Amino acid sequence: MDLGLDGKRALVLSSSRGLGRGIAEALAAEGARVFMTARSEDKLKAAAEAINARGRGQAKFMAADLKTGVTAIHEAAVAALGGIDILVANTGGPPAGTALSVEPDSWTPQFEAMVVPVFRLASLVLPGMQKAGFGRILVVASSGIVQPIPNLVMSNALRSSILGWAKTLSGEVAKDGVTVNMILPGRIETDRTGELDAANAKRAGKTVEQVAEAARAAIPAGRYGDVREFADVACFLASARASYVTGSAIRVDGGAIRSV
Ligand SMILES: NC(=O)c1ccc[n+]([C@@H]2O[C@H](COP(=O)([O-])OP(=O)(O)OC[C@H]3O[C@@H](n4cnc5c(N)ncnc54)[C@H](OP(=O)(O)O)[C@@H]3O)[C@@H](O)[C@H]2O)c1
């Protein structure tokens, strides 16, 4: 299948490692030109160089913190690519914690760190997409918005607010050729899953391997997902071929979410 991604211009947030990097690599492998951003300049440089060395697609990057750098990221991406056809709205994850334990004062800063930048960037890229009659906004969220994950209340709650926003927006821009979807990782093996397993092990007084084994046992596929398996689905949703998929939350979870 030709995904129609050749020459498409993608801004991929939080792409120095993990899921964001995987999506940037997969888009570039389909011929897209990607602009990568996160805080670690050295990791971004290495990731972009690896993409450029392959000879298909093209990667540029800028180190910036999403909390403060939204306008600069948008300006740099437009200057580098000439416009943005695809926004992959990925962010760092919030700290673990139960609903009872989270300090009330920590909600606003976390909302500003992982929700507001998504809304802001979308509002910056949308006019160009609507004018062009083509656009893809893909938000990386979590299985927790369907089946809340214990000890991850901030993720469950804040990403659910993005879900309400994305669904509303999708209905407003569908006629302009712009799709807005969410992609929900279950447990895809990255630094983040390692950190969460370590936090859960500490909380339960178990080893990290015991926690990971229990997590694998709860997944019908019997294993964590591979970044490439996740990125391929993201790539399709970002592609021209996914033109009639919008307002959806697509699970990539090996069957982990128990509800239909
Ligand atoms: N992996 C999973 O199975 C899974 C499951 C559910 C939800 N998620 C969520 O999906 C997202 C990506 O997951 P992941 O596993 O790839 O996480 P990860 O391995 O922790 O990577 C997070 C990425 O976000 C960037 N980042 C963090 N804070 C940032 C900031 N303030 N400004 C700019 N960039 C920032 C990091 O780069 P720098 O450190 O260089 O800034 C890195 O590139 C996270 O929100 C995670 O919670 C993942």
Side-chain angles (χ1 to χ4, degrees):
M1 186 191 288
D2 177 4
L3 293 177
L5 281 164
D6 205 11
K8 283 278 185 286
R9 302 159 301 181
L11 168 56
V12 187
L13 306 178
S14 301
S15 49
S16 60
R17 56 193 156 91
L19 303 181
R21 177 173 176 172
I23 295 171
E25 285 173 352
L27 288 170
E30 294 296 323
R33 294 165 56 211
V34 298
F35 191 84
M36 304 168 74
T37 179
R39 293 164 304 178
S40 329
E41 184 149 19
D42 52 342
K43 289 202 178 86
L44 284 169
K45 188 167 181 283
E49 280 174 0
I51 288 173
N52 291 329
R54 282 194 319 214
R56 179 144 169 78
Q58 188 191 86
K60 291 187 176 171
F61 67 93
M62 182 177 94
D65 192 320
L66 257 188
K67 286 179 212 156
T68 50
V70 163
T71 309
I73 290 168
H74 177 252
E75 282 173 6
V78 170
L81 303 175
I84 296 166
D85 306 304
I86 299 163
L87 170 65
V88 178
N90 182 39
T91 66
T98 62
L100 282 172
S101 69
V102 167
E103 282 295 326
D105 285 350
S106 55
W107 283 104
T108 301
Q110 197 59 47
F111 186 81
E112 282 169 355
M114 62 180 280
V115 180
V116 176
V118 174
F119 297 171
R120 285 218 174 103
L121 262 163
S123 73
L124 289 169
V125 300
L126 271 164
M129 291 178 174
Q130 289 175 289
K131 198 169 164 211
F134 179 93
R136 298 282 178 268
I137 295 179
L138 183 60
V139 183
V140 177
S142 167
S143 61
I145 65 172
V146 180
Q147 184 171 295
I149 303 167
N151 201 37
L152 268 183
V153 70
M154 288 195 130
S155 173
N156 299 335
L158 295 179
R159 295 188 207 276
S160 293
S161 71
I162 303 181
L163 177 73
W165 165 85
K167 184 66 184 170
T168 311
L169 176 64
S170 69
E172 295 171 13
V173 297
K175 283 203 173 79
D176 302 322
V178 180
T179 68
V180 185
N181 290 294
M182 297 186 92
I183 181 164
L184 314 185
R187 262 186 130 74
I188 313 293
E189 196 143 7
T190 66
D191 292 352
R192 169 82 177 164
T193 39
E195 284 157 18
L196 291 177
D197 285 351
N200 286 334
K202 195 172 167 200
R203 188 167 140 256
K206 294 183 175 165
T207 66
V208 175
E209 184 43 36
Q210 281 171 328
V211 164
E213 200 180 316
R216 285 194 292 269
I219 301 169
R223 61 179 177 85
Y224 288 4
D226 183 79
V227 169
R228 185 65 211 235
E229 293 176 294
F230 181 82
D232 282 348
V233 180
C235 221
F236 173 72
L237 292 170
S239 79
R241 304 305 289 266
S243 47
Y244 207 57
V245 181
T246 195
S248 286
I250 312 290
R251 305 163 181 194
V252 185
D253 69 343
I257 297 172
R258 293 296 160 164
S259 64
V260 290

